[in-house]
Amino acid sequence: MSFQKINLSDLKSNAKVKPEIMEKVWLLNLDQIESNTGKVLNYEEVPFQGIGSSTIYFQKGTVLYSKLRPYLNKVVIADRNGFATSELVPIVCNEELIYPKYLAYFLRSESFLKFASNVVAGAKMPRMVMSEFWNYEIPLPPLSEQKRIAKILDKADELRQKRQQSIEKLDELLQATFIDMFGDPVTNPKGWDLVKLSTIAEYFNGLTYKPENVVNNGTIVLRSSNIQNSGLDFNDIVRVNAKIKDKIFVKDNDILMCSRNGSAKLVGKVALIKNLNEPMTFGAFMMIIRSNEKYANYLLNYFKTLAFRRQISTGATTTINQITGAMLDRISLPLPNDMALNQFTEIAKSIETQKQRLEKQLTKQENLFKSLQQRAFNGEL
C-alpha cells in the first residue's frame, strides 16, 4: 500500500497560542530529552520571570523537534504546557490531517533521521535547514491508519522501554545493596572509620575549549549528555583538536561527575569509566574523581546517595548548580574495610554483567523497532 505525501508545513495548525502566565512554569532544555525515544528525563520548573527571551511557548500536545544536532534524534510530544529553548521547533498539528503520535514516530524514524542529518548548516553547531524541514514530504495515510500504526509502534516501544527500565532497576538494586551493606553514610550505623574524601581520591575539572577547536576527527570530550545509567553513552559526542594535559585523559576506574549544569538535577550525575577503546578527555563542566581501584564502585554509589547531596549543600543558600573541589574537600565519609569493599566490588561487577546482557537484548529490540517503523511508513504493516 502506498500513501499520499504532504509537506510538513501543510500539517501545521494556524491557531495562535498565548503563553499561560503562572508563578512557575516548565522549562524544557535539550539535555532533558532522551535521544530516539522522546522520553523527558527530568522536569524543571522555574519562575515565570526567569525563563529568558530565547525561549518558545508551547501547549500540551505540541510536537517539539530539535533542530540543533538533528542526528541526536530528539523529538517529544509535550504532556503539559510550558516553555522550551528556541532550539526546539514547535509543531502544532492540524489534527484533522495528522495524529501527533504518528508525526513524532515518523520524525524519529531512520529514514527521516538520515535526511535530517544531511540538511544542516554550521560545522561546529549543525542545525537543520528549516526550509528543507518544512518542505519535506511525509507519507500520510488516513487518520484511522495513522492511529493504528501509532498503536503498533506504542506496543513495540513499550517492550524496549521495559527493557530499559530493567536496566535502571539493576542500578537501583546496587544502590539498595550499598545501603544494606554499609548503612546510611549520614548516621554510619556500622561504625566505619570516617575519612576525608581528599585522603583517598583526587579530583579535578576538565578541558576548556573553544568552538573553533571542535573537529570531526579528534579527541572525544566527555560531557553531561554522555552519562547514562551510570555508564557512558556515545550518541552525542564532541571531538576537539587541542593541547591536552596527560592528567585529564580519563582512565579506567575514574568516576566522571557532572560538576556544573543549568539543571540542578543533573549536577552530581556520575558514571564509572570502564573499558576505554580510545583516548578521551572531559569538559570543564565535568569533574574526575580518581582513586584506587578498590574504592571506585564504593565511591560511585556513595555519590548517588542523599548523604552526598546533603554534604555538598551544607551552608548553601540556593539550589546547587555547581560542585567544586572546595565542596568535596569538606566531605568526610565512612570507609569500610577492604573485605567489605572487595565484596561490594564483586557484587557490582556481577550486576554490571547482567546490565550488559540486558543492553544487548535492548539493542535487538531497538533494531526490531526500527524495522517496524520502516515497514509502517512504507505501508507494509
Side-chain angles (χ1 to χ4, degrees), residues 178-210:
F178 176 94
I179 297 297
D180 184 57
M181 286 184 64
F182 305 127
D184 183 346
V186 173
T187 58
N188 191 19
K190 302 201 176 185
W192 304 111
D193 291 340
L194 291 177
V195 300
K196 286 285 190 181
L197 177 62
S198 57
T199 64
I200 60 170
E202 60 175 332
Y203 28 87
F204 40 88
N205 290 98
L207 180 72
T208 300
Y209 58 92
K210 298 177 180 178

Side-chain angles (χ1 to χ4, degrees), residues 238-249:
V238 165
R239 294 180 180 270
V240 298
N241 180 12
K243 189 174 182 180
I244 303 170
K245 296 178 181 178
D246 287 344
K247 184 177 182 178
I248 63 171
F249 279 102

Side-chain angles (χ1 to χ4, degrees), residues 169-366:
K169 289 291 184 185
L170 286 175
D171 280 331
E172 292 173 11
L173 172 61
L174 187 58
Q175 184 70 181
T177 302
F178 176 94
I179 297 297
D180 184 57
M181 286 184 64
F182 305 127
D184 183 346
V186 173
T187 58
N188 191 19
K190 302 201 176 185
W192 304 111
D193 291 340
L194 291 177
V195 300
K196 286 285 190 181
L197 177 62
S198 57
T199 64
I200 60 170
E202 60 175 332
Y203 28 87
F204 40 88
N205 290 98
L207 180 72
T208 300
Y209 58 92
K210 298 177 180 178
E212 53 264 33
N213 297 132
V214 178
V215 294
N216 291 327
N217 296 304
T219 303
I220 290 177
V221 181
L222 297 172
R223 299 165 300 139
S224 176
S225 58
N226 299 120
I227 300 178
Q228 299 291 340
N229 296 321
S230 302
L232 295 181
D233 179 275
F234 295 104
N235 279 319
D236 178 14
I237 60 169
V238 165
R239 294 180 180 270
V240 298
N241 180 12
K243 189 174 182 180
I244 303 170
K245 296 178 181 178
D246 287 344
K247 184 177 182 178
I248 63 171
F249 279 102
V250 297
K251 300 177 181 180
D252 277 358
N253 297 304
D254 279 352
I255 296 171
L256 179 69
M257 176 184 287
C258 175
S259 59
R260 184 176 174 185
N261 196 283
S263 171
K265 291 182 180 179
L266 297 178
V267 175
K269 188 168 68 165
V270 287
L272 184 62
I273 307 294
K274 281 287 188 183
N275 305 319
L276 294 170
N277 55 17
E278 66 175 285
M280 300 179 195
T281 185
F282 57 105
F285 288 0
M286 308 298 289
M287 186 178 283
I288 281 292
I289 292 90
R290 182 169 292 163
S291 65
N292 187 297
E293 180 180 355
K294 69 179 178 181
Y295 300 132
N297 281 288
Y298 175 77
L299 288 175
L300 178 76
N301 284 275
Y302 166 74
F303 291 137
K304 296 179 184 180
T305 64
L306 288 175
F308 170 67
R309 178 65 60 173
R310 288 180 189 136
Q311 283 196 284
I312 61 169
S313 61
T314 300
T317 56
T318 59
T319 303
I320 297 296
N321 283 89
Q322 183 175 8
I323 295 173
T324 65
M327 288 176 173
L328 297 185
D329 285 341
R330 294 199 301 262
I331 288 178
S332 293
L333 72 159
L335 186 65
N337 58 41
D338 285 358
M339 182 181 295
L341 288 172
N342 291 337
Q343 184 182 0
F344 183 72
T345 296
E346 290 306 310
I347 292 171
K349 287 179 179 178
S350 175
I351 288 177
E352 181 60 30
T353 299
Q354 293 179 64
K355 278 179 65 177
Q356 289 173 0
R357 177 176 55 81
L358 288 173
E359 283 164 354
K360 286 180 181 178
Q361 293 173 359
L362 178 61
T363 298
K364 288 181 181 179
Q365 287 181 328
E366 286 176 341

Side-chain angles (χ1 to χ4, degrees), residues 33-40 62-66 70-78 100-114 116 133 138 150 153-154 157 160-161 366 369-370 373-374 377:
I33 302 172
E34 188 172 63
S35 293
N36 303 314
T37 68
K39 178 182 177 182
V40 177
T62 302
V63 177
L64 297 160
Y65 177 84
S66 175
Y71 58 83
L72 294 179
N73 207 10
K74 295 193 173 188
V75 186
V76 65
I77 300 178
K101 265 194 176 182
Y102 174 87
L103 176 60
Y105 275 128
F106 182 81
L107 293 178
R108 293 189 207 109
S109 69
E110 206 162 59
S111 59
F112 189 80
L113 181 60
K114 184 177 180 181
F133 177 82
I138 80 164
L153 294 178
D154 276 346
D157 188 43
R160 65 173 183 169
Q161 292 287 349
E366 286 176 341
F369 182 79
K370 288 177 183 178
Q373 277 183 313
Q374 183 177 355
F377 300 126

